[in-house]
Amino acid sequence: EVQLVETGGGLIQPGGSLRLSCAASGFTVSSNYMSWVRQAPGKGLEWVSVIYSGGSTYYADSVKGRFTISRDNSKNTLYLQMNSLRAEDTAVYYCASGRRPYFNYWGQGTLVTVSS
Amino acid sequence: AIRMTQSPSSFSASTGDRVTITCRASQGISSYLAWYQQKPGKAPKLLIYAASTLQSGVPSRFSGSGSGTDFTLTISCLQSEDFATYYCQQYYSYLLTFGGGTKVEIK
């Protein structure tokens, strides 16, 4: 059974850093497109970043230069390193995967709150 | 980045209704479009990819059409479990984007 479990969310002050993890089971992270998608409270879905099976990475303009997506193949885990956090980064962050860059598997989400 | 515009943003409908949601891309995206359903407090669920291909396990009352810049999601006979928010997503560009969402509410 495919499962994605995100961890690492929490309350962080503006300007701080946080690393999210997404542990995958039932498939191989390195063979799939893996993405982070966020949803601010009461708002719609916003794509954040994607890592292709070949290793290429791409970012939304809103996070480029501040966030870094990566994966650890030995742990079958996806990461999102978030630096210079802002209030507008407050959201539920979902990990998602697919064989193409649309996503048929999603985690339950982890809440990141940026506030002083 | 390619902008995806959905309309309407919300509407009310009754069980049994045929409903159509529209998604427009700011530039041509061929058929590189997916549709998702999201219920409150839950992760999105993939319904359709490649504009018109139904994801495995999704009821056949859902259908998608379109190519280029204009796309539609149709629910042929609305069921109680279909009241949710629907999103389109383009994957033509490396920079993926979602539409703003369409909330389908009970009339």
Side-chain angles (χ1 to χ4, degrees), chain A:
Chain A
E1 181 189 2
V2 170
Q3 194 172 16
L4 295 169
V5 178
E6 302 100 333
T7 55
L11 176 62
I12 186 76
Q13 291 189 337
S17 298
L18 209 56
R19 189 178 81 156
L20 305 182
S21 300
C22 171
S25 56
F27 72 101
T28 303
V29 161
S30 61
S31 299
N32 281 259
Y33 293 81
M34 301 294 299
S35 189
W36 290 96
V37 176
R38 68 185 181 184
Q39 188 167 36
K43 302 297 183 182
L45 301 174
E46 181 188 13
W47 172 73
V48 172
S49 181
V50 66
I51 182 166
Y52 283 20
S53 53
S56 299
T57 60
Y58 301 94
Y59 301 90
D61 287 345
S62 58
V63 306
K64 193 171 184 179
R66 301 189 298 124
F67 290 11
T68 302
I69 192 171
S70 64
R71 67 190 182 204
D72 184 330
N73 296 340
S74 66
K75 295 182 179 179
N76 211 35
T77 298
L78 178 74
Y79 300 101
L80 185 68
Q81 177 66 43
M82 304 186 295
N83 299 330
S84 302
L85 282 162
R86 306 166 179 167
E88 55 264 36
D89 295 319
T90 293
V92 173
Y93 284 73
Y94 293 102
C95 164
S97 71
R99 297 306 300 267
R100 300 292 303 280
Y102 52 82
F103 308 106
N104 55 329
Y105 295 110
W106 295 70
Q108 82 288 353
T110 187
L111 177 62
V112 172
T113 303
V114 183
S115 175
S116 55

